Amino acid sequence: MDTRNTEEKPVQRSKSFSFKTQKEVCSSCEKTVYPMERLVANNQVFHSACFCCKHCNAKLSLGTFAALQGDFYCKPHFQQLFKSKGNYDEGFGRKQHKELWASKESENITKTA
């Protein structure tokens, strides 16, 4: 018979592998996003139900949205808002760049005078 040591040693588990994952939060509702409902647009994470047009709140998909300065629009409203004023700033309720240039020019004139 074999007279070797027959004591069983406990198996050590690797501590490097863990199931802890960083919870992702929806950019719209700020609740946890689980993998099955996860949608990423412009490096922001959303629930698929929270990814909506800013103008009409229609549900968007990755093929039906347009983004401008962190806001998401459906393509028809993005075009409509652009066409209404002919530029991105006025159509989307922002201050025009022309006004910013005019204020910088007036500052330069007063500094040189």
Side-chain angles (χ1 to χ4, degrees), residues 9-112:
K9 295 180 182 176
V11 178
Q12 289 187 348
R13 304 273 184 225
S14 172
K15 294 179 182 178
S16 63
F17 183 79
S18 75
F19 288 103
K20 293 180 182 178
T21 58
Q22 184 177 1
K23 290 185 179 181
E24 291 183 308
V25 177
C26 176
S27 295
S28 180
C29 70
E30 298 181 358
K31 293 182 181 177
T32 302
V33 178
Y34 297 101
M36 290 299 292
E37 56 190 4
R38 182 177 181 261
L39 187 133
V40 179
N42 285 9
N43 295 326
Q44 294 180 345
V45 178
F46 294 93
H47 292 107
S48 56
C50 293
F51 189 52
C52 298
C53 173
K54 182 179 179 185
H55 189 75
C56 68
N57 289 328
K59 186 176 175 184
L60 300 173
S61 69
L62 292 178
T64 63
F65 83 95
L68 180 67
Q69 296 180 350
D71 295 327
F72 297 93
Y73 299 91
C74 59
K75 288 186 178 182
H77 281 121
F78 188 80
Q79 291 174 353
Q80 177 187 359
L81 292 168
F82 175 78
K83 288 178 183 177
S84 68
K85 296 291 182 174
N87 63 49
Y88 290 111
D89 294 320
E90 272 188 288
F92 294 92
R94 293 185 182 87
K95 193 174 185 179
Q96 278 194 317
H97 283 286
K98 288 190 276 187
E99 295 172 14
L100 298 173
W101 296 333
S103 65
K104 287 181 182 178
E105 287 176 3
S106 64
E107 288 176 11
N108 288 338
I109 292 171
T110 56
K111 287 180 182 177
T112 57

